[in-house]
Amino acid sequence: MTDIVFQSFRGLGRARLSPVKLTSELETHEIEALFHAAQEVLTNWIERLRREAGGGVPKTVTAFREGMAVHGRYGLPCPVCGAAVQRIIYSEHETNYCATCQAGGRLLADRSLSRLLRADWPKTLEEMEKRRSGAG
C-alpha cells in the first residue's frame, strides 16, 4: 500500500500511530498493530452499519460519521484520552489526529501555519495551552 492509503486510514488512531509516519519507516510491531487495528475498526464499522441499515443498504454514505474516534472531530475530545483532536491541513486535505495518543503529546506541523509561525509554533499540547492562556 502507499503512504497515502495508510495516512488516510481510520485505524491509525486505534494503532496509536502518527498520521504522518511513512509506511517505509514502520517497524514490525507497528505494522502488526496497524493490521490488527484495521481488522478491528473495519469489523466494528461493518457491524454497526449493518445494524443501522436494518439488514439493507445504507441510505446515505458519508466519510464523517458520529462515533468515529478522530476523523472529522477537530477540536472535540479524543474518546480515549480526552485531549482535543488536532488537525493538519495540506492543500485541500485535512488529517485529524490525537496528539496525545498518536504523537506522544507533540503537535504535528501544519505546513501552512508552522511555516508562518516558525519559532512560535507550539511543539506540545501543554505549550499550546500555555500560549492560549497567556502564561507562556
Side-chain angles (χ1 to χ4, degrees), residues 37-95:
Q39 285 184 316
E40 187 177 328
V41 168
L42 290 172
T43 299
N44 289 342
W45 276 101
I46 288 168
E47 290 171 4
R48 180 179 182 167
L49 293 172
R50 282 181 177 159
R51 278 194 310 274
E52 288 177 7
V57 177
K59 301 269 188 264
T60 59
V61 177
T62 177
F64 300 98
R65 297 194 58 93
E66 185 63 35
M68 288 191 164
V70 295
H71 185 62
R73 295 180 47 88
Y74 171 68
L76 298 173
C78 168
V80 175
C81 71
V85 171
Q86 302 299 311
R87 76 175 163 202
I88 302 167
I89 298 174
Y90 180 70
S91 189
E92 70 275 1
H93 302 285
E94 177 178 319
T95 298

